[in-house]
Amino acid sequence: MGAGGPSVAPDPVNQPMIRHWAAAFEDANPVYTDPDAAAASRFGEIVAPPTMLQTWTMATPRITGLRERGGAPTEVSGESPLSVLDDAGFTGTLASNSEFEIERYVRLGEVLTAETAMESISEEKSTRLGAGHFVTWVSTYRDEAGEVVGRQRFRVLKFRPAAS
Amino acid sequence: MSALPSTLDWYRVAVGDELTPMVVDVTASVVVAGALATRDFMPVHHDRDFANAQGAPDIFMNILSTNAYCTRFLTDWAGPDAMLRRLSVRLGVPVMPGSTLTFSGAVTGTGTDGDDGLVEIAFRATNDLGDHVTGTAELGIPLARSRAS
């Protein structure tokens, strides 16, 4: 997340990642993995699980130095409000809310983008984990033609870990 | 595997209908497999030492996994022709290895939108610590594939 343009999914919507997802969650819905059953469904072909929208556009991780970066799985740009909070010691992150609106399920081969807009940052609150700020943003997911396939409002608590 | 399993008949869905409960026995493997399948490398979901430093007793399930299980719970009940149109969740207590997550829910409303019959659902998933997630969802079921009686 940052200012700047939309993030582009590093890979098109693809069967291996969908299969991995379906196996991890033991989700046997055949529209994700069975071409014949999917063809007979309303979708007409294989589709991705709807909340995978958030997964396709996740940044490619940088595993080395994860701990030294305070647990940030990617290099953090200096412009993100989250990195400002990290720098101020609010290094803990805990998701609290997610609200998906799905316009349509996406198909194999589609390349998605996510555009993220900050919505709000709360006053400092005291929580059982430590002092923190609730940060809310809205991501808009689009296909290659620019059509919106889904939206997601996401809220996290950025907190100062009590142990540190 | 080629036939499409049956989907709920929208005309037979009524407010108050309960969804088929779903139970997930959560192990460290479940937490880590979910984090990897959703490409979420936040270390609190795979590194216990890191989780401890953040004040958590163990690694815990990520919200993308919670969304994935909510989706499975809803479509296992409604069938493969149901489309998830909206999923709104609020997280409560964490899900850590060794706990059992039990999903339950009920229909709170029905309606139509064009060719789709809509079903609104309120649900929750609990473990021994309390409510892990409470949420609402809206499914669309093609009216043409349901049978008016």
Side-chain angles (χ1 to χ4, degrees):
Chain A
M1 178 172 43
S7 54
V8 180
D11 291 293
V13 174
N14 65 84
Q15 188 70 83
M17 280 175 60
I18 293 172
R19 200 182 303 286
H20 183 190
W21 187 100
F25 302 112
E26 299 186 281
D27 191 329
N29 192 332
V31 301
Y32 304 146
T33 54
D34 181 332
D36 294 339
S41 76
R42 68 180 294 164
F43 304 108
E45 62 185 291
I46 296 280
V47 285
T51 67
M52 271 192 90
L53 283 183
Q54 191 180 0
T55 289
W56 301 114
T57 52
M58 296 279 270
T60 299
R62 289 281 307 271
I63 301 299
T64 303
L66 198 56
R67 191 176 290 272
E68 290 70 19
R69 293 194 302 275
T74 58
E75 298 293 351
V76 178
S77 89
E79 298 164 9
S80 165
L82 291 189
S83 63
V84 171
L85 287 170
D86 279 322
D87 292 345
F90 298 97
T91 53
T93 305
L94 193 68
S96 71
N97 297 76
S98 161
E99 299 169 14
F100 269 107
E101 290 173 7
I102 305 295
E103 295 291 335
R104 69 169 175 85
Y105 283 18
V106 298
R107 302 178 288 265
L108 300 181
E110 294 199 86
V111 178
L112 305 178
T113 59
E115 201 173 334
T116 296
M118 294 303 300
E119 189 173 82
S120 62
I121 299 177
S122 77
E123 298 294 309
E124 185 170 314
K125 312 233 175 188
S126 88
T127 77
R128 63 190 162 85
L129 294 167
H133 296 267
F134 285 95
V135 183
T136 306
W137 62 86
V138 177
S139 297
T140 303
Y141 302 98
R142 295 177 191 274
D143 63 18
E144 285 158 286
E147 294 295 318
V148 176
V149 295
R151 298 176 196 81
Q152 183 184 21
R153 175 172 284 106
F154 201 72
R155 182 171 303 136
V156 301
L157 172 68
K158 288 293 294 174
F159 65 97
R160 192 190 298 276
S164 66
Chain B
M1 284 262 298
S2 62
L4 187 69
S6 65
T7 292
L8 212 59
D9 181 343
W10 179 82
Y11 291 100
R12 293 175 184 274
V13 175
V15 171
D17 284 359
E18 291 188 7
L19 280 68
T20 309
M22 183 178 93
V23 175
V24 181
D25 289 318
V26 178
T27 61
S29 302
V30 166
V31 173
V32 173
L36 296 187
T38 55
R39 298 181 66 239
D40 180 353
F41 290 83
M42 294 293 277
V44 288
H45 307 308
H46 64 257
D47 181 337
R48 185 162 55 188
D49 290 345
F50 196 96
N52 290 160
Q54 298 272 302
D58 204 340
I59 61 169
F60 53 93
M61 185 178 282
N62 69 338
I63 190 170
L64 291 89
S65 292
T66 300
N67 278 329
Y69 281 116
C70 292
T71 303
R72 177 186 142 197
F73 168 62
L74 295 162
T75 54
D76 275 1
W77 171 72
D81 263 328
M83 177 184 156
L84 182 70
R85 297 164 61 113
R86 187 173 56 76
L87 178 66
S88 177
V89 302
R90 175 180 181 173
L91 294 192
V93 301
V95 178
M96 290 176 284
S99 73
T100 297
L101 197 53
T102 303
F103 285 78
S104 61
V107 174
T108 56
T110 59
T112 57
D113 178 23
D115 297 333
D116 260 11
L118 306 180
V119 183
E120 290 176 353
I121 293 150
F123 65 92
R124 67 185 58 226
T126 62
N127 63 16
D128 55 342
L129 301 175
D131 283 341
H132 164 59
V133 59
T134 54
T136 59
E138 183 180 85
L139 299 174
I141 296 173
L143 289 172
R145 291 168 187 250
S146 294
R147 187 182 301 275
S149 55

